[in-house]
Amino acid sequence: MPEYLQFPGEAYPLGATWNGAGVNFALYAENATAVDLCFFDHEHAETETIRINIKERSHQIWHAYIPEIKPGQLYGYRVYGPYRPSQGHRFNGNKVLLDPYAKAIAGNIKWNEALFGYQLGADELDLSFNEADNAAFIPKSVVIDPAYDWENDEHPKINYNQTVIYEMHVKGFTKTHPDIPENIRGTYAGLAHPVAISYLKNLGVTAVELMPVHQFISDHHLEEKGLTNYWGYNTIGFFAPDSRYASSDIRGEQVREFKDMVKALHKAGIEVILDVVYNHTGEGNQLGPTISFKGIDNSSYYRLEENKRYYTDYTGTGNTLNSRLPNVLRFIMDSLRYWILEMHIDGFRFDLASTLARELHEVNRLSAFFDIIHQDPVISQVKLIAEPWDVGEGGYQVGKFPPDWAEWNGMYRDVMRDYWRGNPNMLGEFAQRFLGSPDLYEGDYRRPTASINFITAHDGFSLHDLVSYNHKHNEANLDDNNDGEDHNKSWNCGIEGETDNKEIISLRMQQKRNFLATLFLSQGIPMLVSGDEIGKTQHGNNNTYCQDNELSWIDWENADQSLLHFTKELIRLRLNHPSLRRRKWFNGLEVGDGVKDIAWFTPDGNPMKGHNWEKDFARSIGIYFHGEGIQSKGPMGEDILDNHFFIIFNAHYEALAYKLPKSDYSKKWRKILDTASGEISKNELELYEAAQDIGVAGRSVLVLKSEE
């Protein structure tokens, strides 16, 4: 083997840092007794070309500076120490390990018994020791050149109340798009293509929320079935954009391609939010592979049970990162800052965020995780969104995250689904969710924008399937239809699955418009799932996590253009009218002439009273927004004024005659949206007088705008 000079280097920053003349390597491994730095010629080389025993250690960090190493160099570590699983230690120097701070990773896992620290099939399971070398089967960390011309790129910094989020999968969005060059479909470059960006811009969304793009592992058990991990919630590289979505070379070029994508989206005024998975890694439980953290210093990264052979699992994936430990907190914060400062990301959606808030076992709103984020001058300035639950006891924490956090509002999803499938006694709950869930957020000095409202998400039925299936149909996942949620709160409109029945098809279209109208008329931040605006179906599969194929990809050829037009106009309506996206809560106070900022009406034109909310049979409600009751100022201190709105929701299957409010509220009303007909327009629909009767079709939404 050729030899390289080794200088002491520095303990910070962690990872591999190129300075133009060489590379500083730094690795945290508190309980290790020795660390070797290994260089490789290609990502699946059977052995290293160079092995350097790192001599310098500062506290718990092993470090060395190696001159003449350049960007593109592949590397990994071999870490030595005791193999005593019952004490939490799983060191095995036969295993090449990924650098937790690697900025790029070349290649993917090639599943083999050598990837496991123990002998598969041994009677003592993980208490046995596996001497096989894994070098040929594990991807390699990459030294990168961080230089990049951002061309004065700036974060769009769109206000929360003007935000419309589009949840999407990098690959699935462009994989079948006929107008994007075939060689870049399904990649970062594909998403950066003018065709993709023009679509997003015309749709009207202000932020894309990318499903996990951190380098992740495709599970062994899935690949044995001929499936793969499509969603990516199995992270192994928390600083590295996944190389599977790169159209270019993977020795660091994926980083440049990712930056190109962000820059292109920013030029279009679109923010980039990452769905991040800091609650666990892809190494699984005690029977999982040894790929990085487990072999570097198992007990310094993971939550372990009293018998330290076993992992505490709040995530349902086999392990939980121990965010109580200072080195793990530093690791998470370093990763977040890197994506903001170096990759120009605008925000994060934290998968199973309750896990990160757990101090011992209980979810603690005052945990160190929140304290550090709130005092960090970089992380605290971007959008922070929590998935406010995990699978552990007490993990459902909707409405309980600190100020400055927004939350996926699972209650909103459930209530709106129940309302539109005709459940009784829903009006009170419907009103709370429609107004931004003040019962969850107002008491903690948070605003309506704390609520991320969604009808569907990547996990569950698509919008089309929500109105087409009563039951999940996950047979393609090869798990006997046992995976996925059983309680979908869906309604198939009378027939399970696809049908030629024109009445059923028409009702389903109307229900889709009802859900979309409800979403974009509600206070809070709307989140639309990619493909719902064009009628995407997964054929009843509500858990496509393992389906990297046409079942998950957007079907552009069969896009529903009428639904797309309706969605575009809905988003435009919302963004053009501050009444529909208020920064502050309605307060029920008079704005003028005895009229309050909000009022609720029964079909006979009278204000709602207490007993009206409690009637089980009532499935219809009229809602008045006063355009002068917005209570917010513009950037120059100007009053924000808007039209008055009268919105009628009728979830009853029969049509109703609604009497419009008396002239105190408005003398004339222009109908601008009707989900029964699919009509949506600024000025062209019917004009009505105050107190006039108006017909409201069964299962429909009407929106009227004041003409004054």
Side-chain angles (χ1 to χ4, degrees), residues 113-173:
E113 292 184 8
L115 291 167
F116 296 82
Y118 65 97
Q119 295 178 357
L120 293 182
D123 291 340
E124 60 269 42
L125 300 175
D126 59 302
L127 298 179
S128 63
F129 188 76
N130 186 349
E131 296 181 353
D133 194 313
N134 71 339
F137 309 105
I138 191 165
K140 306 302 185 292
S141 305
V142 184
V143 175
I144 71 161
D145 179 356
Y148 181 77
D149 184 5
W150 279 102
E151 300 179 290
N152 299 315
D153 175 72
E154 294 184 359
H155 296 280
K157 293 185 177 179
I158 296 167
N159 290 332
Y160 271 113
N161 72 312
Q162 296 174 313
T163 296
V164 176
I165 297 174
Y166 190 69
E167 190 195 28
M168 65 182 299
H169 190 284
V170 168
K171 182 176 182 178
F173 184 70

Side-chain angles (χ1 to χ4, degrees), residues 310-364:
Y310 302 106
Y311 295 78
T312 302
D313 183 10
Y314 291 124
T315 65
T317 62
N319 67 57
T320 305
L321 275 173
N322 194 348
S323 56
R324 296 168 52 211
L325 298 177
N327 65 291
V328 177
L329 276 174
R330 175 178 61 187
F331 168 74
I332 294 172
M333 301 306 153
D334 285 350
S335 172
L336 292 171
R337 276 190 293 269
Y338 175 79
W339 287 97
I340 298 167
L341 295 174
E342 297 296 324
M343 309 295 262
H344 286 209
I345 293 304
D346 304 287
F348 304 94
R349 178 265 190 190
F350 291 83
D351 179 67
L352 300 180
S354 293
T355 302
L356 300 170
R358 290 182 182 271
E359 285 290 312
L360 292 174
H361 296 289
E362 294 182 356
V363 178
N364 184 353

Side-chain angles (χ1 to χ4, degrees), residues 335-570:
S335 172
L336 292 171
R337 276 190 293 269
Y338 175 79
W339 287 97
I340 298 167
L341 295 174
E342 297 296 324
M343 309 295 262
H344 286 209
I345 293 304
D346 304 287
F348 304 94
R349 178 265 190 190
F350 291 83
D351 179 67
L352 300 180
S354 293
T355 302
L356 300 170
R358 290 182 182 271
E359 285 290 312
L360 292 174
H361 296 289
E362 294 182 356
V363 178
N364 184 353
R365 295 173 62 199
L366 302 178
S367 73
F369 174 74
F370 293 130
D371 291 343
I372 292 175
I373 281 184
H374 287 161
Q375 68 188 16
D376 189 284
V378 174
I379 304 172
S380 63
Q381 299 307 302
V382 301
K383 289 182 169 67
L384 302 171
I385 301 170
E387 182 186 35
W389 49 78
D390 63 21
V391 302
E393 183 178 353
Y396 192 76
Q397 295 289 312
V398 173
K400 296 180 181 179
F401 274 68
D404 298 329
W405 282 74
E407 301 176 15
W408 270 28
N409 191 341
M411 291 187 182
Y412 179 94
R413 171 200 59 204
D414 294 346
V415 167
M416 295 313 181
R417 289 186 178 193
D418 277 340
Y419 176 75
W420 281 114
R421 63 180 181 150
N423 279 22
N425 202 23
M426 292 297 302
L427 290 186
E429 275 279 336
F430 175 88
Q432 291 280 14
R433 305 302 147 235
F434 181 73
L435 294 186
S437 297
D439 59 329
L440 298 178
Y441 305 114
E442 187 175 18
D444 202 17
Y445 303 102
R446 299 167 78 182
R447 291 186 171 178
T449 50
S451 179
I452 304 293
N453 300 328
F454 64 103
I455 303 296
T456 60
H458 67 272
D459 187 1
F461 281 146
S462 68
L463 181 61
H464 176 84
D465 292 359
L466 185 67
V467 300
S468 305
Y469 294 89
N470 283 353
H471 311 286
K472 66 183 182 183
H473 297 268
N474 297 356
E475 289 80 8
N477 297 353
L478 305 182
D479 195 22
D480 297 325
N481 205 32
N482 290 319
D483 63 300
E485 177 60 59
D486 291 316
H487 306 289
N488 295 285
K489 298 180 180 290
S490 59
W491 178 48
N492 63 18
C493 297
I495 295 176
E496 185 74 358
E498 299 305 314
T499 178
D500 294 327
N501 186 305
K502 292 182 179 180
E503 290 185 3
I504 298 292
I505 293 172
S506 177
L507 177 55
R508 288 176 178 175
M509 284 298 303
Q510 189 165 319
Q511 285 287 77
K512 283 188 269 189
R513 292 191 292 264
N514 288 337
F515 278 121
L516 289 168
T518 304
L519 176 65
F520 288 108
L521 295 171
S522 295
Q523 303 298 316
I525 300 174
M527 185 184 79
L528 177 68
V529 177
S530 177
D532 275 355
E533 76 278 11
I534 58 173
K536 176 181 183 289
T537 179
Q538 297 169 174
H539 303 291
N541 191 317
N542 71 354
N543 190 31
T544 58
Y545 77 104
C546 57
Q547 299 294 332
D548 187 2
N549 50 48
E550 290 83 356
L551 194 63
S552 297
W553 304 336
I554 303 297
D555 181 4
W556 294 105
E557 183 178 350
N558 294 303
D560 185 335
Q561 296 297 329
S562 66
L563 189 62
L564 175 59
H565 172 75
F566 183 82
T567 308
K568 286 180 180 178
E569 292 302 317
L570 259 178

Side-chain angles (χ1 to χ4, degrees), residues 69-277:
I69 297 297
K70 298 178 181 179
Q73 177 64 57
L74 305 182
Y75 72 98
Y77 291 103
R78 296 184 186 271
V79 182
Y80 303 87
Y83 187 84
R84 300 191 188 101
S86 61
Q87 297 177 21
H89 301 310
R90 295 179 179 270
F91 295 100
N92 187 334
N94 301 293
K95 310 304 174 187
V96 175
L97 304 169
L98 289 171
D99 181 358
Y101 278 74
K103 305 305 189 299
I105 294 173
N108 293 295
I109 291 286
K110 291 173 63 177
W111 284 106
N112 184 276
E113 292 184 8
L115 291 167
F116 296 82
Y118 65 97
Q119 295 178 357
L120 293 182
D123 291 340
E124 60 269 42
L125 300 175
D126 59 302
L127 298 179
S128 63
F129 188 76
N130 186 349
E131 296 181 353
D133 194 313
N134 71 339
F137 309 105
I138 191 165
K140 306 302 185 292
S141 305
V142 184
V143 175
I144 71 161
D145 179 356
Y148 181 77
D149 184 5
W150 279 102
E151 300 179 290
N152 299 315
D153 175 72
E154 294 184 359
H155 296 280
K157 293 185 177 179
I158 296 167
N159 290 332
Y160 271 113
N161 72 312
Q162 296 174 313
T163 296
V164 176
I165 297 174
Y166 190 69
E167 190 195 28
M168 65 182 299
H169 190 284
V170 168
K171 182 176 182 178
F173 184 70
T174 63
K175 184 60 180 174
T176 69
H177 203 297
D179 298 327
I180 292 176
E182 189 171 357
N183 65 312
I184 63 170
R185 292 177 193 168
T187 68
Y188 305 123
L191 182 51
H193 191 275
V195 167
I197 289 182
S198 176
Y199 177 86
L200 295 169
K201 192 70 177 173
N202 290 334
L203 181 58
V205 298
T206 69
V208 291
E209 182 176 301
L210 304 182
M211 291 176 65
V213 295
H214 291 174
Q215 188 85 23
F216 64 89
I217 294 171
S218 185
D219 315 65
H220 187 207
H221 75 276
L222 290 178
E223 297 205 354
E224 286 184 316
K225 296 179 180 179
L227 302 171
T228 189
N229 188 319
Y230 174 66
W231 285 353
Y233 293 93
N234 211 21
T235 306
I236 198 64
F238 292 84
F239 292 76
D242 197 286
S243 59
R244 277 164 283 211
Y245 305 141
S247 64
S248 50
D249 185 69
I250 57 174
R251 289 198 174 199
E253 287 303 311
Q254 64 266 49
V255 178
R256 181 176 297 275
E257 187 174 327
F258 185 92
K259 291 177 177 178
D260 287 343
M261 176 195 72
V262 173
K263 182 166 64 175
L265 287 162
H266 280 180
K267 283 183 178 178
I270 298 172
E271 293 184 312
V272 182
I273 297 170
L274 297 188
D275 192 339
V276 290
V277 190

